Every structure is written in C-alpha cells, then in structure tokens.
Amino acid sequence: MKPGGVKRWFRFPSRTRDDIRADVDDEIQFQIDMRTEDLRRSGMSERDARVQAGREFGDRATATRTSVRREKRIERRRYVARIFSEFWQDAVVGIRLIRRNPGFAAAVIATVAVTTAGHTAIFSVVNSLLFKPLPLATAAHELARVRGGASQMSWPDYRDVLARQRVFRELVAHRRLVVGFATTGAPARLWGEQVSLNYFRALGVSPDLGRTFTPADTRRDVVILAAHLWHARFGGDPSVLGRVLMLNGRPFEVLGVMPAGFRGAAPPGPRNDFWAPVNETVSDQLLSDRAAARFEVFGRLNPAVSRAQAAAALRVIAQQIRAEHPTIRDTFANMEVLPVDGLGAFRGMANLILPVLAFLALMTVVAGLLLLIGCANISGLLLGRAAARSKEIAVRLAVGAGRARLVRQLLTESLVLALAGGAGGTLLALWLTGGVNSLFSRLPVPIEFDLALDRRVLAYTLGLSTLTALVFGLLPARRAASVDLVSSLKDDAAGRAGRQKLRRALVVGQVAVCSMLLVWSGLFVRSLYHVGGIDPGFDPEGVLLARIEFDEGTHAADFGRRFARDFQQAVERSPGVDAAGGATVVPLSIDNEEFDLFRVVDRPGTQPFRQRVFANRLTPGWFDTVKIPFVAGRDFRWSDGDWAPGVAIVNETLARQFWNGGAVGRRVLGPEKRVLEIVGVVRDSKYWTLGEEIRPTIYLPFQQAYLRSMTLHIRADVRSATNAITRASRSLAPDVFVDVAPMKATTGLSVLPAQVGAAVSAAFGGLAMLLAALGVYGLVAFSVSQRTREIAVRRAIGASTFDIMRLVIGEHGTLTLIGLAAGVGLGGVGANVFRSFIAGVSPADAMTFAVVATVVASAALVASALPALHAALVSPMLGLRDS
Amino acid sequence: MSDSMTPLLRGTVDLLILRSLRQGPSHGYDVSRWVRERTDGVFALEDAALYQALHRLEDRGWVRSEWGLSDNNRRAKYYQLTPEGRRQLRTEVSMWKQYAEAVVRVIGSA
C-alpha cells in the first residue's frame, strides 16, 4: 500500500475546482463556436459571425461564475450520493456473506454483542445520572435549587424569603418524610416528601389521576401517590381517589396519582412514594423553629433572570432576615442558586456521587479491556478469512478494482457485522440494567434509576459499534487489500508469514488481558472469603431489629425518650424475649456517626488530646443483647437521664489511645461541649465494615443524646417475638412507625461492595477467558489448516498422533505463557488501585496468581488441543491429496 | 438584439428550457436554437441567461447532464429531463395556460 494512510481509503474521485471551470468554459465555447458556424453559413464573414455570436451570448464572465458555483454544489451532492450507493452495495454484499458463512458471522456478532453490552449498561447509568432530562413540563434551565450556606432552610426562613423575593416565579420548599403506612397487612415504611402547595405548579406537571393541591389543602391532611405505589398497593385501581390512608396513625385523603417516572426536581436516586402538603394547622414544631433547617428549596426563575442574578438578589434578602433574627447562623446569607440537572445537581453531594463515578470509571476501563479482547478476536478471525479469500481478492484486483475501494468494501462488511452485534448488545444491556436496579432494592433506602433506553444510549451504542468495526476491521482489510497479486494467484504460502505474526501478537494480548481480569476477580473473591471468617466482636444471630422512626414535627424529644423506654420495657416483658437494648447505629449497616472527642485535662500529667471517633447512642441492655462483654465498669441505666451527669462507655481501643487503659472515672469532652464521665469499657467490635481496623468508639446514653430514629435490638425467638413487638408499639403509640427485621439481613450489607466487585470482575473475567480461548482456538485451527501437507508428510514418515499434537500445542503454548505472565504481573500491580476494597488480601496474593495461572493455562491447552487433535487424526493420504 | 424585443417574464426561461428538452436529450446549443426558432425572435433571451438557467435546473434536480460527442465530433454536454423535471414541466404549462387565459379574458372584455 502506498503511503497516505486512512484518508486515502476514503477519498472518492471527484472533479476539482479547476476541472469544473474548464468544463463550464468548454460548454460555453461550444455554444459560441456552433453559433458562429451557423451565422457564417448564412452568409456572414468569419470575423463578423464570431463578433455577432459573442454579442448574442451576453455576459460570459457572470454566466461562467454562477455556473461554476452551481456545478460545485451539484458535484458535492453527486459525491455524497456515490458514497451512499457504494456503501449500500457493500452492505448488501456483507449481508450476503453473513448468509453464506453463518458460523463466522455468529461468532463476530456474539462477540460484539457481549462486549458492547457492558459499555451500554454502564452508559445507561451515567445517562440516567447526568444526561436524562427531568420528566417535567418546566424547562430544567428555568429551575434552580436554592441553598443558604450549603445547607437546607427552616420553614420560617423559607416563608420570609418567599415573601420578599422577586426573582422566582415560584419558590418551593420540600423535605424528606418517612412514615409508617398501616394497611390490613404488615405495616410498611413509605418514603415521600412534605411539600409547599406550589410544588406541582412550579414543576408544571399534572397528575395522571385526580388533581394536585389547591390553597384549601393546607387545612387538612391530603396526599398524592406515586405511580409505582398506586400499582403495587392499590393494583392501579382508579377508585383510590378519595380513599383515606393511615400514615403514621393519621388519616390522609388521596387526591391524585402522579405519572410514572415523576420524581420532582431532585437529582436521580432516591425514590418517592408520596407527596403531602405542609399542613400549617397541625401543631408541628418544625414549622415554627428557625433552628430546624430541614427544607430543601428550589424555584422557577422569572423570565430573563439568570441564576447569578437570582443569587445576588437572595443574598441581600438573606442579610435582612438575618439582621432581624440574629439566631440564624451566619452562613445563611451566603445564598447559592444551583442547577437542577447535570453534574451541577450533585453539588454538595460529592461524598455520594464521587464513589459512584469512580466505580463507573473503573467499570468503563474493565469493559474497555473486554472490548479490546473482543476486537482482537474478531481481527484474528477476519485475518484468517482474508487469507482464505486472498484468491478472490487477487482476482478482483487483477480485473482492476482499486485497493482503496476494496478496503472500503471489507470495512463495510465489518460494519454490517458490528451493527448487528450492537443491536444484540443493546438487548443484552437491557437485561443487565434490570439487574442493576434489583441490586439497589437490597439497600435500606429506596433507590431507583431510570435506566430505560433513550436516544442518547442508542447513539452511544451505534457509535461504539461503528468504532468497533473500524478497530477490528481496519487492519485485516488493509492486509487483505495489500495481497501480492502474483504469489496469491499462485497459491504460495510464503506470503502469509507476516499475517501469522500479527495473529500471534493478538493472542498474547488477549491472554494477558483475561489473566489480569481474572486476577482481579480472584482477589475480590478471596477477600470475600476472608471477610466471611472475620469475627465482628458481636453476635447478630437470633437478634431482631425494631427500627423506630419519630416524626420530627409532631413528636417532641421528651416523647421520644419516654416511648423508647416504655417500648423497650414492654418488649422485655413479652414471652420469648431474652434481652433488649436500643442503638441509633446498627453495626455493619451503612449507618455511621463520628465526631471529634477531646480528652479532659483532669489529672496532673495529662496533655490535651483530640481524636476522631465512631459513636453510637444506646439504651441500657444493648451490650448484653448483642453479646459485647464488659472489660470494666457498668452499663447505662435508665437513671442516666437528661438531667443526670453526663456519662459514656468506650471501647478498649479508645481507652488505650486516651489513657493506656484504666478509663473508668476519666472524663472527655463530647459533642456540644458536654463533659462525660467514663463509666464502662467494653470489648472491641466491628462498627462499619468487617474489613476495617478497629477504631476508637464511644457510646452515649440515648436518654442524654436523643435522635429521632433508633433501633431496638431484641434477642428473642424470631417467630413468636415479631407479633409481640408490633403489638407493644401499637398499644403505646399508633402513630410511631416500627418495622421489624432480622439483624443478619442488615449486617450483610457491609460486604455488598466486595460482592459487587467480585461478581462484576468474575463475570468480565470469565467472558474474557472465553474470548481468549476462542482466539487461541482460531489461531491454532488456522495454522493447522495451512499446514495440512506438512502434517501429512510427518504422519507418513512415522510421527504418532501424540507427536503431532505436541508439535502444534508446543508452538502456541509459548504464546499463552507470555500473555499469562504479562497479565498476572499487570493484574497484581493494577490491584493496588482498589486495595482498600479487598480487605485482608494482598494485591500480590500468591494463591490467586497460582489459581489464575492454572485456569488460564488449562483453558488455552484445551483450546489448542482440539484443533491439534483434529489435525493429527487426518489420514496422511487425504492430507496429501488435498493439496 | 433590437429594442423591439419583449423582455422575458421571470420564470419563463425555465419553462422554455424544460419544454425544449421534452424532445429528448440535447446540448445547450440545440436548446438555444430551438428557443430561437420557436419564438421567432420575439423574446430577448441571451445565451448567458440560458446557460445559467440550465445549471440552475440541474441543481434543482429537474434536468441531469452527461458529457457526450456532438454531430461534428466535439465534446458537448447533453441535458435531459428527470422524472421530477417532467412533473415540473406539466405543472408550469398548466399554470401558464390558466394565467394566459385569464389575461386574455380580461383584455377581451375591455
């Protein structure tokens, strides 16, 4: 092939500007000459005729100029039409080839399908996070989130801002609300939002059924349901309108049902089951407390007001409000107006979105490697086929087909295969994304992403398939079109050495990538196994969790403290219950709490000391219930109440770090600068993940450190106790929602990341191995087929079946070994990146390496033994006659 | 050309060219001669305008062109109607007839 590169293959012959000019000139000249000839024949002199013809023609310069301009347009159009018609011809040929060679086509299409499916699934997630438009009538750029000093707002602050601002057409406040939903069956936890009345008006969305809120709706309890809840709980029955639901023991009338997919202006993720308006007639202390900044605020901007202008206006208003109410924190005046879609919607949520994006990036890399293996494989197949078709191609070249034209034809054939594969990949991706959403259903908080296909995902897959076709098709096509005419027509094997070298390199690369992926999945699996054997330091077996949720608005702290005590004591009296105790953080769930703890200088020789510690807030009896033994001191008592001196219990690690042991009687400075005396020391236990190093942990009495949700741990006979627990909570306060689940189910969540890592890398690794095995198989089968004569001769002079197999396998075994060594090495080094996810396993784990090496080597051996055996069994006579 | 000739109404050139090509493929000179003979020199049609119109019609897809050899063995560009051009010709002819009849009616009644 002459130099010139890729551009050469896509250059179609077309007239240059000068060609066009010459053509137009020719045409006009022809006209003038013919007219001159006519006039001369009618009796004019040659000279007069020429002058007359020229005059009759008129303005030649202008005619030439406009004609050239038009011709250029026509030429461009013809050029495009030619490309398309040629492409179409080639595509038809390509489709015909698929029909003639279904096995080959199936292999290529399946490979492309599998490799693009991973990418498409990953992009579906990215798409739903960042690119999918919000399903709203109001354009996303008109909407903006408002935050005062990177924080939410209190209801009174919101009301003041609302009354004074002029930059938003609508300004909306909403907050997350978790309620218990009492039906005839088991009570359920619903996640919804309490919203200001203008919520739906600002978003411009109307309900599928019923209506949204009117101003009268502030005086009673009403609710609008999400479509999924309507279908799941009410079977999509339209008579749900007007029905009364008991939420947290309070009756709510159903006003309407929103369309499926509606999630408000919130970033994708949390799922909402219902929307209820703020009811200002109910005595809700949250609505009058300026310190309770619990409401998210967003608004619909006035026309021609930018976010920056809105922010400037709000800052002035916030300054005024703060001047009137000095208790408002000073950051409040730092008003921000943020976008509601794209990456900007996640501002202030970096700790949530960054791990997700990092994980997606890692997955993209892995899926990219898989794509490369797949491409290498198909390239190998195509190279083999190009060799088989070299005679056809040589003939076509001999009868005058251009090499560039030939490259384009071969590429188009690849493209047809790749597009078919891309279509298959899209279907596979649909199935994969279904799996992603079911994975989220294991989390304690309802998470939902709209992963449905849309234009963007389809365009992405289309682009990816096209790129794939170029990657795997270009090299073989170029090779095929550069066949040496003479040697190909003579069927000379000498010209094929170069082609084989390339296929060998591809196989080495494939084995390397698949080994690397398998090393990673091996490390994850080993870490899971290791984690399974770790003692958490407490015993979740036989423990039930009763999660209590107080409504912030209607339940004061006093009520919560009293309920927690009465409820626990009622449960303790129930039959089948051995022990009970409450904690705000369930260990090894996704919950945690941490803060800075200070050592109080209380004796000569102590220095000030500060340390970040894990924390948990407990009622008496918790340590007994989960079987964490005391090393020294005592448990909390109900008498360690709000009015009593502050007390705390610490774990051994904290006692060692703060006082070298001997902690009982010492003092620390906890949150809100409260002095706490240590009354007990307990044995270390795992807090957040099984793989973690034990961190210093402090336990506070719930009665002194109230939170609005806590979980009662109950050691009991699971079957008989569940009903007793529900009965106890109902009889005490029907409007407090309590749901019961075994502790084992919650603590299992801590191994979720390692499980996902193991599952994903194992799936990709297995797939990569299959592809690599196919690659090895293809290489050996091809090289054997090229050497039928040589093998037959060897058989004829006495080589045994075993000799032949050893010869063939030995040649390719070296390739496998090189790839294996490279892959395992790279895998070990690369694993350092996600070291923190593989608890208790070194990235250079010898055991993993050994297993991966054995598995890959065996697979390669089988893959090359099959064609070798086939070759060895061919009778020498047949082999010799064939050539 | 003499002053007594009537300048052509806009759009008439296109109609004349399309009509002349109904006889079959012709080069530009054939078209200009056909127009000249048929109109008996009533219209002032410059060849420059004619050629610009030919290229414009090709750009619109009403005619297509091909290089060939003329009777006296010179390289010449031959034009022929496309199916679209045929349709366009029919439309324009019927429009012109209606227009002319209307004008004649008005003048006749005066």
Side-chain angles (χ1 to χ4, degrees), chain A residues 92-113:
Chain A
V92 169
V93 171
I95 291 166
R96 212 177 295 146
L97 281 175
I98 291 179
R99 281 217 304 259
R100 211 187 300 154
N101 226 332
F104 167 79
V108 174
I109 291 173
T111 308
V112 176

PDB file of all heavy atoms in Angstrom, chain A residues 92-113:
ATOM      1  N   VAL A  92     -24.980  -4.783   1.098  1.00  0.00           N
ATOM      2  CA  VAL A  92     -25.732  -5.910   0.564  1.00  0.00           C
ATOM      3  C   VAL A  92     -24.815  -7.116   0.411  1.00  0.00           C
ATOM      4  O   VAL A  92     -25.155  -8.246   0.792  1.00  0.00           O
ATOM      5  CB  VAL A  92     -26.387  -5.528  -0.785  1.00  0.00           C
ATOM      6  CG1 VAL A  92     -26.941  -6.763  -1.473  1.00  0.00           C
ATOM      7  CG2 VAL A  92     -27.484  -4.514  -0.544  1.00  0.00           C
ATOM      8  N   VAL A  93     -23.598  -6.862  -0.107  1.00  0.00           N
ATOM      9  CA  VAL A  93     -22.620  -7.946  -0.225  1.00  0.00           C
ATOM     10  C   VAL A  93     -22.329  -8.524   1.156  1.00  0.00           C
ATOM     11  O   VAL A  93     -22.274  -9.743   1.345  1.00  0.00           O
ATOM     12  CB  VAL A  93     -21.316  -7.434  -0.875  1.00  0.00           C
ATOM     13  CG1 VAL A  93     -20.231  -8.497  -0.799  1.00  0.00           C
ATOM     14  CG2 VAL A  93     -21.578  -7.042  -2.307  1.00  0.00           C
ATOM     15  N   GLY A  94     -22.174  -7.611   2.145  1.00  0.00           N
ATOM     16  CA  GLY A  94     -21.872  -8.051   3.504  1.00  0.00           C
ATOM     17  C   GLY A  94     -22.961  -8.958   4.049  1.00  0.00           C
ATOM     18  O   GLY A  94     -22.690 -10.002   4.638  1.00  0.00           O
ATOM     19  N   ILE A  95     -24.229  -8.557   3.830  1.00  0.00           N
ATOM     20  CA  ILE A  95     -25.341  -9.359   4.331  1.00  0.00           C
ATOM     21  C   ILE A  95     -25.366 -10.721   3.637  1.00  0.00           C
ATOM     22  O   ILE A  95     -25.587 -11.753   4.267  1.00  0.00           O
ATOM     23  CB  ILE A  95     -26.672  -8.602   4.126  1.00  0.00           C
ATOM     24  CG1 ILE A  95     -26.706  -7.391   5.058  1.00  0.00           C
ATOM     25  CG2 ILE A  95     -27.858  -9.502   4.385  1.00  0.00           C
ATOM     26  CD1 ILE A  95     -27.786  -6.384   4.731  1.00  0.00           C
ATOM     27  N   ARG A  96     -25.038 -10.704   2.331  1.00  0.00           N
ATOM     28  CA  ARG A  96     -24.992 -11.967   1.610  1.00  0.00           C
ATOM     29  C   ARG A  96     -23.912 -12.872   2.213  1.00  0.00           C
ATOM     30  O   ARG A  96     -24.094 -14.073   2.348  1.00  0.00           O
ATOM     31  CB  ARG A  96     -24.720 -11.685   0.127  1.00  0.00           C
ATOM     32  CG  ARG A  96     -25.379 -12.692  -0.786  1.00  0.00           C
ATOM     33  CD  ARG A  96     -25.152 -12.325  -2.231  1.00  0.00           C
ATOM     34  NE  ARG A  96     -25.779 -11.074  -2.618  1.00  0.00           N
ATOM     35  CZ  ARG A  96     -25.256 -10.222  -3.509  1.00  0.00           C
ATOM     36  NH1 ARG A  96     -24.090 -10.475  -4.071  1.00  0.00           N
ATOM     37  NH2 ARG A  96     -25.895  -9.114  -3.820  1.00  0.00           N
ATOM     38  N   LEU A  97     -22.769 -12.265   2.582  1.00  0.00           N
ATOM     39  CA  LEU A  97     -21.679 -13.057   3.151  1.00  0.00           C
ATOM     40  C   LEU A  97     -22.088 -13.678   4.489  1.00  0.00           C
ATOM     41  O   LEU A  97     -21.684 -14.795   4.805  1.00  0.00           O
ATOM     42  CB  LEU A  97     -20.442 -12.183   3.352  1.00  0.00           C
ATOM     43  CG  LEU A  97     -19.637 -11.933   2.087  1.00  0.00           C
ATOM     44  CD1 LEU A  97     -18.513 -10.960   2.373  1.00  0.00           C
ATOM     45  CD2 LEU A  97     -19.083 -13.243   1.551  1.00  0.00           C
ATOM     46  N   ILE A  98     -22.884 -12.932   5.270  1.00  0.00           N
ATOM     47  CA  ILE A  98     -23.348 -13.485   6.547  1.00  0.00           C
ATOM     48  C   ILE A  98     -24.138 -14.748   6.290  1.00  0.00           C
ATOM     49  O   ILE A  98     -23.957 -15.769   6.946  1.00  0.00           O
ATOM     50  CB  ILE A  98     -24.244 -12.470   7.281  1.00  0.00           C
ATOM     51  CG1 ILE A  98     -23.415 -11.288   7.756  1.00  0.00           C
ATOM     52  CG2 ILE A  98     -24.957 -13.129   8.453  1.00  0.00           C
ATOM     53  CD1 ILE A  98     -24.217 -10.241   8.473  1.00  0.00           C
ATOM     54  N   ARG A  99     -25.009 -14.684   5.262  1.00  0.00           N
ATOM     55  CA  ARG A  99     -25.849 -15.848   4.978  1.00  0.00           C
ATOM     56  C   ARG A  99     -25.014 -17.026   4.502  1.00  0.00           C
ATOM     57  O   ARG A  99     -25.310 -18.169   4.791  1.00  0.00           O
ATOM     58  CB  ARG A  99     -26.885 -15.473   3.914  1.00  0.00           C
ATOM     59  CG  ARG A  99     -28.057 -14.702   4.472  1.00  0.00           C
ATOM     60  CD  ARG A  99     -29.342 -15.089   3.793  1.00  0.00           C
ATOM     61  NE  ARG A  99     -29.219 -14.902   2.350  1.00  0.00           N
ATOM     62  CZ  ARG A  99     -29.724 -13.853   1.695  1.00  0.00           C
ATOM     63  NH1 ARG A  99     -30.410 -12.962   2.344  1.00  0.00           N
ATOM     64  NH2 ARG A  99     -29.566 -13.738   0.397  1.00  0.00           N
ATOM     65  N   ARG A 100     -23.915 -16.705   3.770  1.00  0.00           N
ATOM     66  CA  ARG A 100     -23.103 -17.787   3.230  1.00  0.00           C
ATOM     67  C   ARG A 100     -22.204 -18.392   4.314  1.00  0.00           C
ATOM     68  O   ARG A 100     -21.760 -19.505   4.212  1.00  0.00           O
ATOM     69  CB  ARG A 100     -22.246 -17.240   2.075  1.00  0.00           C
ATOM     70  CG  ARG A 100     -21.969 -18.295   1.022  1.00  0.00           C
ATOM     71  CD  ARG A 100     -20.998 -17.777  -0.007  1.00  0.00           C
ATOM     72  NE  ARG A 100     -21.489 -16.595  -0.702  1.00  0.00           N
ATOM     73  CZ  ARG A 100     -20.689 -15.687  -1.257  1.00  0.00           C
ATOM     74  NH1 ARG A 100     -19.373 -15.815  -1.174  1.00  0.00           N
ATOM     75  NH2 ARG A 100     -21.190 -14.651  -1.878  1.00  0.00           N
ATOM     76  N   ASN A 101     -21.922 -17.613   5.343  1.00  0.00           N
ATOM     77  CA  ASN A 101     -20.945 -18.032   6.344  1.00  0.00           C
ATOM     78  C   ASN A 101     -21.501 -17.823   7.746  1.00  0.00           C
ATOM     79  O   ASN A 101     -20.948 -17.074   8.541  1.00  0.00           O
ATOM     80  CB  ASN A 101     -19.690 -17.158   6.167  1.00  0.00           C
ATOM     81  CG  ASN A 101     -18.453 -17.999   6.192  1.00  0.00           C
ATOM     82  OD1 ASN A 101     -18.450 -19.058   6.819  1.00  0.00           O
ATOM     83  ND2 ASN A 101     -17.409 -17.526   5.552  1.00  0.00           N
ATOM     84  N   PRO A 102     -22.618 -18.488   8.076  1.00  0.00           N
ATOM     85  CA  PRO A 102     -23.339 -18.129   9.301  1.00  0.00           C
ATOM     86  C   PRO A 102     -22.515 -18.353  10.577  1.00  0.00           C
ATOM     87  O   PRO A 102     -22.636 -17.588  11.526  1.00  0.00           O
ATOM     88  CB  PRO A 102     -24.573 -19.034   9.276  1.00  0.00           C
ATOM     89  CG  PRO A 102     -24.248 -20.114   8.319  1.00  0.00           C
ATOM     90  CD  PRO A 102     -23.251 -19.593   7.357  1.00  0.00           C
ATOM     91  N   GLY A 103     -21.682 -19.362  10.605  1.00  0.00           N
ATOM     92  CA  GLY A 103     -20.894 -19.646  11.810  1.00  0.00           C
ATOM     93  C   GLY A 103     -19.966 -18.500  12.133  1.00  0.00           C
ATOM     94  O   GLY A 103     -19.927 -17.990  13.258  1.00  0.00           O
ATOM     95  N   PHE A 104     -19.238 -18.064  11.114  1.00  0.00           N
ATOM     96  CA  PHE A 104     -18.309 -16.957  11.284  1.00  0.00           C
ATOM     97  C   PHE A 104     -19.054 -15.704  11.736  1.00  0.00           C
ATOM     98  O   PHE A 104     -18.680 -15.039  12.694  1.00  0.00           O
ATOM     99  CB  PHE A 104     -17.587 -16.705   9.955  1.00  0.00           C
ATOM    100  CG  PHE A 104     -16.848 -15.410   9.903  1.00  0.00           C
ATOM    101  CD1 PHE A 104     -15.620 -15.285  10.503  1.00  0.00           C
ATOM    102  CD2 PHE A 104     -17.407 -14.316   9.259  1.00  0.00           C
ATOM    103  CE1 PHE A 104     -14.936 -14.094  10.467  1.00  0.00           C
ATOM    104  CE2 PHE A 104     -16.733 -13.109   9.221  1.00  0.00           C
ATOM    105  CZ  PHE A 104     -15.499 -13.002   9.824  1.00  0.00           C
ATOM    106  N   ALA A 105     -20.158 -15.425  11.021  1.00  0.00           N
ATOM    107  CA  ALA A 105     -20.926 -14.221  11.339  1.00  0.00           C
ATOM    108  C   ALA A 105     -21.457 -14.284  12.762  1.00  0.00           C
ATOM    109  O   ALA A 105     -21.396 -13.301  13.511  1.00  0.00           O
ATOM    110  CB  ALA A 105     -22.076 -14.063  10.354  1.00  0.00           C
ATOM    111  N   ALA A 106     -21.942 -15.451  13.171  1.00  0.00           N
ATOM    112  CA  ALA A 106     -22.490 -15.596  14.523  1.00  0.00           C
ATOM    113  C   ALA A 106     -21.403 -15.320  15.553  1.00  0.00           C
ATOM    114  O   ALA A 106     -21.641 -14.629  16.552  1.00  0.00           O
ATOM    115  CB  ALA A 106     -23.074 -16.987  14.716  1.00  0.00           C
ATOM    116  N   ALA A 107     -20.194 -15.827  15.301  1.00  0.00           N
ATOM    117  CA  ALA A 107     -19.095 -15.620  16.249  1.00  0.00           C
ATOM    118  C   ALA A 107     -18.808 -14.129  16.399  1.00  0.00           C
ATOM    119  O   ALA A 107     -18.679 -13.609  17.510  1.00  0.00           O
ATOM    120  CB  ALA A 107     -17.852 -16.360  15.785  1.00  0.00           C
ATOM    121  N   VAL A 108     -18.730 -13.423  15.261  1.00  0.00           N
ATOM    122  CA  VAL A 108     -18.415 -11.995  15.309  1.00  0.00           C
ATOM    123  C   VAL A 108     -19.539 -11.221  15.992  1.00  0.00           C
ATOM    124  O   VAL A 108     -19.307 -10.404  16.884  1.00  0.00           O
ATOM    125  CB  VAL A 108     -18.183 -11.441  13.882  1.00  0.00           C
ATOM    126  CG1 VAL A 108     -18.002  -9.936  13.933  1.00  0.00           C
ATOM    127  CG2 VAL A 108     -16.972 -12.097  13.265  1.00  0.00           C
ATOM    128  N   ILE A 109     -20.789 -11.521  15.586  1.00  0.00           N
ATOM    129  CA  ILE A 109     -21.925 -10.774  16.132  1.00  0.00           C
ATOM    130  C   ILE A 109     -22.037 -10.999  17.637  1.00  0.00           C
ATOM    131  O   ILE A 109     -22.221 -10.061  18.415  1.00  0.00           O
ATOM    132  CB  ILE A 109     -23.231 -11.177  15.409  1.00  0.00           C
ATOM    133  CG1 ILE A 109     -23.183 -10.674  13.966  1.00  0.00           C
ATOM    134  CG2 ILE A 109     -24.451 -10.607  16.130  1.00  0.00           C
ATOM    135  CD1 ILE A 109     -24.325 -11.138  13.106  1.00  0.00           C
ATOM    136  N   ALA A 110     -21.856 -12.248  18.071  1.00  0.00           N
ATOM    137  CA  ALA A 110     -21.949 -12.541  19.504  1.00  0.00           C
ATOM    138  C   ALA A 110     -20.858 -11.806  20.275  1.00  0.00           C
ATOM    139  O   ALA A 110     -21.109 -11.239  21.343  1.00  0.00           O
ATOM    140  CB  ALA A 110     -21.836 -14.045  19.739  1.00  0.00           C
ATOM    141  N   THR A 111     -19.652 -11.798  19.702  1.00  0.00           N
ATOM    142  CA  THR A 111     -18.552 -11.121  20.396  1.00  0.00           C
ATOM    143  C   THR A 111     -18.848  -9.633  20.540  1.00  0.00           C
ATOM    144  O   THR A 111     -18.690  -9.054  21.623  1.00  0.00           O
ATOM    145  CB  THR A 111     -17.237 -11.306  19.622  1.00  0.00           C
ATOM    146  OG1 THR A 111     -17.058 -12.695  19.378  1.00  0.00           O
ATOM    147  CG2 THR A 111     -16.067 -10.777  20.409  1.00  0.00           C
ATOM    148  N   VAL A 112     -19.282  -9.003  19.456  1.00  0.00           N
ATOM    149  CA  VAL A 112     -19.586  -7.565  19.528  1.00  0.00           C
ATOM    150  C   VAL A 112     -20.730  -7.324  20.510  1.00  0.00           C
ATOM    151  O   VAL A 112     -20.697  -6.392  21.315  1.00  0.00           O
ATOM    152  CB  VAL A 112     -19.944  -7.007  18.135  1.00  0.00           C
ATOM    153  CG1 VAL A 112     -20.358  -5.552  18.246  1.00  0.00           C
ATOM    154  CG2 VAL A 112     -18.770  -7.150  17.196  1.00  0.00           C
ATOM    155  N   ALA A 113     -21.751  -8.198  20.471  1.00  0.00           N
ATOM    156  CA  ALA A 113     -22.912  -8.018  21.351  1.00  0.00           C
ATOM    157  C   ALA A 113     -22.471  -8.032  22.804  1.00  0.00           C
ATOM    158  O   ALA A 113     -22.813  -7.139  23.586  1.00  0.00           O
ATOM    159  CB  ALA A 113     -23.939  -9.118  21.094  1.00  0.00           C
TER     160      ALA A 113
END
